[in-house]
Amino acid sequence: MKQLIKKSKIFVILILAISFIGCEDDDDNLPVVTAGFTHTISQTGVVRFINTSTNADNYSWDFGDESTSTEINPIKIYSPGVYTIILTASNVAGASDTYEDTIMILDSEIPLITLIGDATINLTLGDTFTDPGATAFDEVDGDLTADIIVGGDVVDTSVEGTYVITYDVTDAQGNEAIQVTRTVNVSAIVCTPETSESIAAATLNITFQTNTPAVFEDNTTFTWIDNPDPGGPVNTSCKVGQVIRANNSPYDNIQIDLVDKLDFNTSEGIKMKVWSPVPNTPVLLKLEEIGNGGNFVEVLATTSIVNGWEELTYDFPATATPQFNKMVIFFNFNVADGSTYYFDDLMVYGGGTGGGCVPETTESIAANTLNITFQSNTPAVIEDNTTFTWIDNPDFNGSINTSCKVGEVIRANNSPYDNIQIDLADKFDFNTSEGLKMKVWSPVPNTPVLLKLEEIGNGGNFVELLTTTSVVNSWEELTFDFAATATPQFNKIVIFFNFNVADGSTYYFDDLMVYGSGNGGGNCPAPPAGEFILDGDFEANANCWGLFDNGGTTTISTTVSNGGGTNSGQIQTATGANPGLKQERFGVGTIQPNTTYVVTFDIKADAANPLVDGAVFQVFTFSEPADGSGLSATQHVLIAGDANLATAWTPRSYTFTTAGNVDGGVSLLFELVCGGATTCGGTINIDNVSLTAQ
C-alpha cells in the first residue's frame, strides 16, 4: 500500500511538472505586436496613412497637432509645418507596440504680387517719377510687401524710352511669385497707340493706326502725322490725319473712296474727332455714290472749341439700300483759308434708325426713390410756356446717356422763365438722400439750368439751385445738392432750361433721380478722428454707402465680416455688369489739395463663387471740384483689372495724391467688372475701409 501511495505521489508530481512546462510553451507562442505605418502626402497637405502593423487589433494615432484617431488607415489634412506622428498598436492579449515618424508639410502656394497704380505709366520728358510700388501677400506667410525685390530698368525721365520695372518675391518655403512688371513710357508726346482700324463701310473706323486709307487732295495737303495734342481727354491716340488747306478756294476738301457702301439701316451715322484753330468751324461731311451721276447727301456740323479736340456727330438718314461709298470732308466750309486742321477716329456709330439704344428697365416717381427714366410716358408734366414730349433719344451713342427714351422740352420763347413742373405724391427727405441728379442735352453753350423744389399748398415755401452745362449738343449729368431739413418738405419739381433768358430752343432731359446717402442725417455715423470714410465697417447698413447694381447685385452682407462687427459690403457681378460700392463727396472742407492720402481695406473672394472668365476688381478715388461748378473730377486709379483675389480676408493699402481742386471733397468707388465671356462672374466682400492722411 505504501508503495502504491509513493508511486501515486510521483505520478502527480510528474503531471504538475508537465503542466508547468506546457504553460511556458504557451507564453512563448503568443503573437508579437509590431507597430508601423507609411504615408503619402498630396500637394494640398492631405496625408493618407497606410497601417503596416502586424498582430494588432486596436490602433491609437497621435497626429502631432493635438488631434487623434482610432481608424486603421486614417486620412488627415495638415497645414504647412513639421509634425511627429505616433501610432500605438495593441491586441486583445494586451500586447502593444509603438511607432513614430516625422513628416513635413510644405507650403506649395505661390505669393501674389499686386501693383499699386497703373501697369503702364506714360510720362513726358522731364517729369518726376516715383514708383508707386506693389503689395505682396502669401496665404501662409501673410504680408510680404517688405520682401518684394524691385528690379529691371531704372527710369530716367531725361531720356526718352520705354522702361520695364520688375517685382519679385519669394515666401519662406521658397515659392516664387509670378513676376509682375510695370512699363513706364517716357516720351516728348504722351499718347495711346492705336490698336484697331477698319476701312470697310459696315465697320468703318479710320484711326490712322497705319497710313490708310488713300486720301485724294483737292486743293489740300494730307499727311499722316503724330498727334500734336494728345494731352486732352477727347483724343489721346498717337497718330492722326493732318489737312492743310491751300487757300485757293472756299471748297478745299479731302476725299476718301470706300470699297463698299455705307448702310444707315444698320448704323446711325458717322462720328469724327476734329482739331481746329478757327472758332466755330463749319465742317461739312458729304457722302457721294461713285459713278451714279452725283447722288449725294451732306450734313454740316460746327465746332464749339478752338485749338482742342472734340467729336462731331453726323446723323445720316437711312435709305432703302446702301448707296454711298465716297466721303468728302470740307474744313471751314465755304470759307477760303490756309489753316491746318487735324482729324481722327472717323467711324460709323449706333445701331441704325431705331436701334443702338439701351431700353429702360426701371422707373420710380416716389420721392425717396425718384428715378424718372421715361421707361413709360410718366410722370405727368405741367407745361408753363413750354411743350413737353416723350420721345426717342436723339443722341444715344455717347457714354453719358444710351437710354432709348427721354423727355423733350421746347421753349415757347414767350418769357425768360419758361419751365416744366412735376408734382409728386410724397416729399423729398434729404436726410436720407443727398440731392437730385439729371441728365441734360442742350444746344446752348453754358446753359444755366435751375432746379426749384416747392411745397404744394404751403404759401410758396421753396428752395432752388442753379447749375450750368459745360458741353453743347451732347448729354451731361448735372448735380443739385440740396440741404437737409428737419422734416421732409418739398413735393413739386420746377425745371428752367436756360434760366432768365427768353429763347425758343429745344432741350432734352432724362434720369431725374435722387442720389447719395444723406447730408449727415439718418443713421450714418460721423467718421472717427483722423478718418474721412463714413461707416468703413458697413455696420450702418446702406445709410452711408451708395449701392450700384449696374447689371449685377450690390448689397450689405449681414453674415460675412472681418472682425469688429457682423456686416461687410458685398458685390456680385455677371456678364456685362459693373456693380459697385461708392461714397461720394466726403471730406468737404477737410480733404486738402495736393496731399497724399492712404486707402486701406480688407477683401476676400467668395470661395463658392470666385472671380472667373474675365471678372476683375477695380478701385478708384476722385478729387471732386465744388458741386455745381461744372468742372470735371480728377480720377485716381488705385487698382485696375485685378482678377487674382484670395478667398481668405486679405488687407490692401494704396496711396494717392489729391488734385489741386478738392472743393467738393473726395469720392471712393469699388467696382467688380465683368467682360465678354458668358460664364463671367464672381462675388467679393469688402470690410474695414479707411481713408486717412499719410
Side-chain angles (χ1 to χ4, degrees):
M1 186 68 180
K2 289 181 178 178
Q3 282 289 85
L4 179 61
I5 293 171
K6 182 178 180 180
K7 289 180 180 179
S8 298
K9 288 180 178 179
I10 293 170
F11 181 72
V12 170
I13 292 169
L14 180 62
I15 291 174
L16 290 172
I18 293 170
S19 298
F20 280 117
I21 292 170
C23 288
E24 289 176 1
D25 288 343
D26 287 344
D27 286 343
D28 290 341
N29 292 330
L30 284 174
V32 176
V33 173
T34 302
F37 64 85
T38 62
H39 63 271
T40 63
I41 305 176
S42 74
Q43 289 185 343
T44 57
V46 177
V47 180
R48 296 179 180 270
F49 293 100
I50 303 167
N51 197 330
T52 61
S53 302
T54 59
N55 300 322
D57 303 302
N58 302 305
Y59 308 96
S60 175
W61 297 83
D62 181 345
F63 293 124
D65 64 349
E66 299 183 353
S67 64
T68 61
S69 174
T70 58
E71 297 180 15
I72 299 175
N73 297 303
I75 298 173
K76 170 72 175 176
I77 300 176
Y78 282 101
S79 300
V82 178
Y83 304 90
T84 298
I85 294 87
I86 302 173
L87 169 62
T88 301
S90 61
N91 61 21
V92 295
S96 67
D97 188 28
T98 62
Y99 178 81
E100 70 177 53
D101 193 7
T102 299
I103 65 172
M104 178 180 291
I105 307 297
L106 298 177
D107 170 19
S108 61
E109 295 293 326
I110 65 173
L112 174 67
I113 300 174
T114 303
L115 285 178
I116 299 173
D118 295 335
T120 300
I121 297 177
N122 296 313
L123 303 173
T124 55
L125 286 170
D127 280 351
T128 299
F129 173 70
T130 301
D131 184 3
T135 60
F137 183 80
D138 183 72
E139 290 287 352
V140 174
D141 297 339
D143 188 359
L144 295 178
T145 301
D147 297 326
I148 293 176
I149 298 174
V150 181
D153 299 328
V154 177
V155 177
D156 184 353
T157 61
S158 66
V159 179
E160 197 168 359
T162 298
Y163 302 86
V164 178
I165 303 172
T166 61
Y167 305 86
D168 296 279
V169 76
T170 303
D171 66 16
Q173 294 293 331
N175 299 308
E176 297 181 359
I178 297 173
Q179 186 182 76
V180 174
T181 63
R182 170 179 277 116
T183 300
V184 180
N185 298 311
V186 179
S187 63
I189 299 177
V190 178
C191 61
T192 304
E194 292 78 0
T195 57
S196 63
E197 65 181 351
S198 172
I199 57 172
T203 58
L204 184 69
N205 188 16
I206 299 175
T207 64
F208 296 109
Q209 181 181 9
T210 58
N211 191 10
T212 55
V215 175
F216 178 78
E217 302 159 323
D218 185 355
N219 279 317
T220 55
T221 302
F222 169 81
T223 314
W224 179 53
I225 67 162
D226 292 334
N227 187 348
D229 183 16
V234 175
N235 189 16
T236 62
S237 64
C238 291
K239 292 292 185 179
V240 300
Q242 173 185 266
V243 178
I244 303 175
R245 292 191 53 181
N247 201 14
N248 290 334
S249 160
Y251 308 114
D252 302 339
N253 65 75
I254 61 167
Q255 303 169 23
I256 300 172
D257 291 346
L258 305 177
V259 294
D260 51 347
K261 295 181 178 181
L262 296 159
D263 185 354
F264 295 116
N265 289 286
T266 58
S267 61
E268 187 73 18
I270 294 176
K271 287 187 175 183
M272 174 173 56
K273 293 174 182 174
V274 172
W275 192 104
S276 171
V278 179
N280 303 313
T281 303
V283 182
L284 181 73
L285 181 56
K286 180 180 181 181
L287 305 181
E288 298 179 356
E289 185 174 12
I290 299 174
N292 193 25
N295 186 30
F296 72 92
V297 62
E298 56 190 25
V299 174
L300 184 71
T302 304
T303 63
S304 60
I305 62 176
V306 64
N307 294 327
W309 285 102
E310 65 183 300
E311 187 170 65
L312 303 180
T313 302
Y314 299 85
D315 190 2
F316 287 98
T319 54
T321 59
Q323 292 184 348
F324 307 111
N325 51 356
K326 176 191 280 285
M327 296 183 293
V328 186
I329 307 173
F330 302 82
F331 295 97
N332 208 3
F333 177 68
N334 206 25
V335 177
D337 84 330
S339 300
T340 299
Y341 301 88
Y342 306 101
F343 73 106
D344 195 13
D345 298 335
L346 177 58
M347 66 179 72
V348 293
Y349 74 90
T353 54
C357 61
V358 178
E360 294 78 1
T361 58
T362 60
E363 65 181 352
S364 172
I365 57 172
N368 288 332
T369 58
L370 185 72
N371 189 14
I372 299 176
T373 64
F374 296 109
Q375 181 181 7
S376 58
N377 190 10
T378 53
V381 174
I382 301 169
E383 303 161 320
D384 186 357
N385 281 316
T386 55
T387 301
F388 170 81
T389 312
W390 178 55
I391 67 163
D392 292 334
N393 186 349
D395 183 11
F396 54 76
N397 294 286
S399 60
I400 303 299
N401 190 15
T402 61
S403 63
C404 291
K405 291 292 186 179
V406 300
E408 178 191 72
V409 177
I410 302 176
R411 292 191 54 182
N413 202 14
N414 291 335
S415 161
Y417 309 113
D418 302 339
N419 64 77
I420 61 167
Q421 303 169 24
I422 301 171
D423 291 346
L424 304 177
D426 51 339
K427 297 180 178 181
F428 291 112
D429 185 358
F430 295 118
N431 290 286
T432 59
S433 61
E434 189 75 12
L436 297 177
K437 288 187 176 183
M438 175 174 58
K439 293 175 182 175
V440 172
W441 193 103
S442 171
V444 179
N446 303 313
T447 304
V449 179
L450 181 74
L451 188 58
K452 181 179 182 181
L453 303 182
E454 297 178 358
E455 185 174 12
I456 298 174
N458 193 25
N461 185 28
F462 72 92
V463 63
E464 57 188 25
L465 287 175
L466 182 72
T467 190
T468 304
T469 63
S470 60
V471 299
V472 65
N473 294 327
S474 184
W475 285 102
E476 69 181 306
E477 189 172 66
L478 304 180
T479 303
F480 302 83
D481 189 358
F482 288 98
T485 55
T487 58
Q489 293 184 348
F490 308 110
N491 52 355
K492 175 190 279 284
I493 304 172
V494 186
I495 307 173
F496 302 80
F497 296 98
N498 207 4
F499 177 69
N500 207 25
V501 178
D503 82 272
S505 301
T506 299
Y507 301 86
Y508 307 100
F509 74 105
D510 195 13
D511 297 336
L512 175 57
M513 66 178 71
V514 294
Y515 78 95
S517 54
N519 288 291
N523 297 317
C524 184
E531 176 65 75
F532 294 100
I533 283 289
L534 307 173
D535 188 31
D537 56 4
F538 298 94
E539 295 306 303
N541 294 309
N543 291 310
C544 301
W545 291 88
L547 311 179
F548 302 96
D549 289 340
N550 294 337
T553 303
T554 305
T555 60
I556 303 298
S557 171
T558 59
T559 59
V560 179
S561 67
N562 190 28
T566 59
N567 294 0
S568 66
Q570 186 175 81
I571 308 174
Q572 180 176 355
T573 193
T575 301
N578 62 321
L581 285 162
K582 189 176 185 182
Q583 275 200 29
E584 293 186 334
R585 295 181 172 275
F586 56 85
V588 177
T590 55
I591 294 281
Q592 298 300 308
N594 303 312
T595 302
T596 301
Y597 290 85
V598 182
V599 176
T600 62
F601 56 92
D602 298 333
I603 184 170
K604 69 183 292 288
D606 186 351
N609 189 26
L611 305 192
V612 295
D613 297 336
V616 293
F617 176 57
Q618 301 188 148
V619 183
F620 306 95
T621 54
F622 302 86
S623 294
E624 302 278 9
D627 200 7
S629 66
L631 301 176
S632 299
T634 300
Q635 183 186 68
H636 312 283
V637 180
L638 305 189
I639 301 176
D642 186 356
N644 300 310
L645 300 183
T647 55
W649 283 107
T650 305
R652 296 287 188 95
S653 179
Y654 303 91
T655 61
F656 72 99
T657 302
T658 53
N661 185 350
V662 286
D663 293 344
V666 168
S667 297
L668 172 64
L669 171 64
F670 297 104
E671 191 174 42
L672 196 55
V673 180
C674 224
T678 57
T679 54
C680 181
T683 300
I684 62 171
N685 285 79
I686 297 169
D687 205 357
N688 302 323
V689 184
S690 171
L691 190 147
T692 58
Q694 189 178 50

